[in-house]
Amino acid sequence: MRREYIGTALSMIGMVLNVIAFHARKKRTLLILHFAATAFHMCSYVFSGGGMGIWLNLVFLFRCVLFLKAENKSREVRKHIYYWVCAACVAAYVIFTAVNRPPLSDCLWSAIPIIGAFFGTWSFVQSDMVKLRYIKMADSASWLLYNGHVGIGALGGFLGEVFNVISMLLAIRREKTERLKTT
């Protein structure tokens, strides 16, 4: 089996786990499922030769672990995690671009997922699951833009983010309906 097929299969598993994660009612469950999805995505990049994707997803694995550990901590502690994770994303980007020396246009396009990572990380600072999902949609929007630029080679990633946004919108609607019923 070719490496790309393995990478695609792993990416599909990650996509399914992400879609399920956004329907979690508790943040802890969302983070655990997101951790598993991220692990599959990272492995898919290993098989697909996606250098920056490997490093970003490695940071995202640590992000999930840190936010799981800080689940019952104060918002201030979660903000500090946000700053450290964002710094790690920027460091991964700077090191990757310094080592690989891509053209300036590629550097600029590769910065879009970093911006998304800031939103994705900020979403995990939130305690309210509706706010978390709204902010996480900005993360998905950046990946949609990036994958759209990459083209057909990133079709799986593009479709995965479309499914993520749909999943988040459905989960927000469900949660808001449930809140209205209890008031």
Side-chain angles (χ1 to χ4, degrees), residues 10-22 29-45 57 60-61 64 164:
L10 293 169
S11 180
M12 298 295 276
I13 294 168
M15 178 185 69
V16 169
L17 287 170
N18 256 339
V19 168
I20 293 168
F22 292 121
T29 306
L30 184 147
L31 287 168
I32 291 168
L33 288 168
H34 191 66
F35 178 90
T38 300
F40 278 99
H41 284 300
M42 186 182 80
C43 292
S44 80
Y45 282 117
N57 279 283
F60 296 163
L61 287 173
C64 288
N164 284 343

Side-chain angles (χ1 to χ4, degrees), residues 63-79:
R63 173 179 75 181
C64 288
V65 170
L66 291 172
F67 278 108
L68 276 166
K69 295 276 187 196
E71 185 180 3
N72 297 322
K73 304 286 186 203
S74 71
R75 184 173 174 87
E76 204 58 37
V77 169
R78 294 191 312 267
K79 279 183 179 177

Side-chain angles (χ1 to χ4, degrees), residues 125-144:
V125 172
Q126 310 309 308
S127 297
D128 182 277
M129 293 295 281
V130 171
K131 282 184 183 176
L132 182 150
R133 291 180 186 108
Y134 274 128
I135 297 168
K136 193 78 169 111
M137 278 194 272
D139 180 17
S140 285
S142 71
W143 282 99
L144 278 167

Side-chain angles (χ1 to χ4, degrees), residues 109-123:
W109 277 107
S110 295
I112 293 172
I114 303 299
I115 294 166
F118 294 169
F119 284 109
T121 305
W122 183 251
S123 74

Side-chain angles (χ1 to χ4, degrees), residues 164-181:
N164 284 343
V165 169
I166 292 169
S167 178
M168 285 183 270
L169 288 170
L170 291 172
I172 288 167
R173 183 172 182 225
R174 183 200 70 229
E175 190 147 336
K176 283 185 171 184
T177 302
E178 289 174 2
R179 287 181 184 179
L180 284 175
K181 287 180 183 178

